[in-house]
Amino acid sequence: MTWLAAASTGVTPESTQQAIGYPTLFLLVFLGALVPVVPTGALVSSAAVVAFHQSLPFALLFVFVTASLAAFLGDIALYWLGRRGMGSKNGSRWLEAIRSRAPEERLAQAQGKLAEHGVSVLVLSRLVPAGRIPVMLACLMAKWPLRRFVRGNAPACLAWAVTYQVIGILGGSLFEEPWEGVVAAVALTVVISAAPTVWKRVRSAG
């Protein structure tokens, strides 16, 4: 990955890292929003670590803008494709992908919270691991228009980008070498993502 390569070597000039890194980050986060298997949080944290160790001004701001914009556009594209699937007799593979990643229990919870709290649920769904897709499907089933989804999703993506960027900054500030900060940031995001699943299994076992 470009960001990891930039962190582990000092050969590439910072300007070249930015020219390659930001488009790469945008593309990966955008694709991660469309295909929810890419660890986008870890990507943002890793990019923040690299930016933290750069001397160029506004590097962290560029990471924030790139990540939040890519996540926002990816979410909007996926929601639009989901709406098309809902209106089609045969559905769509995008809608099926959304449904396959929204277990009935999580979907029921998302529908209840959406009915009770409305747009604010979208912000929390972006911050909770595996929370985005059930809430998005709940919005689709509630037949939210795209404009309403956009209003709620914009602050959600900003909050998400800030959260994972802070994780990266913390990782970068603890280590002198950027690659060490990247490893720490990735490890922390993996722990955060896995925590709800582990907690659920512990409760079930108990």
Side-chain angles (χ1 to χ4, degrees), residues 109-119 121-122 135 138-139 142 144:
Q109 292 176 353
Q111 288 177 308
K113 292 178 180 178
L114 191 66
E116 184 177 355
H117 301 289
V119 171
V121 175
L122 283 173
V135 171
C139 292
W144 275 25

Side-chain angles (χ1 to χ4, degrees), residues 84-142:
R84 288 194 62 184
M86 293 287 286
S88 173
K89 292 182 179 180
N90 299 323
S92 71
R93 64 188 183 93
W94 295 105
L95 183 59
E96 287 300 319
I98 296 174
R99 284 175 171 168
S100 67
R101 294 188 171 274
E104 290 298 327
E105 180 183 352
R106 297 292 298 273
L107 177 58
Q109 292 176 353
Q111 288 177 308
K113 292 178 180 178
L114 191 66
E116 184 177 355
H117 301 289
V119 171
S120 61
V121 175
L122 283 173
V123 178
L124 293 177
S125 73
R126 256 286 179 184
L127 300 178
V128 175
R132 179 176 69 102
I133 295 300
V135 171
M136 182 181 289
L137 183 57
C139 292
L140 287 169
M141 296 182 70

Side-chain angles (χ1 to χ4, degrees), residues 57-79:
F58 307 116
L60 286 169
L61 177 61
F62 291 153
V63 170
F64 169 73
V65 172
T66 301
S68 57
L69 181 61
F72 176 75
L73 294 177
D75 283 354
I76 298 306
L78 184 59
Y79 191 77

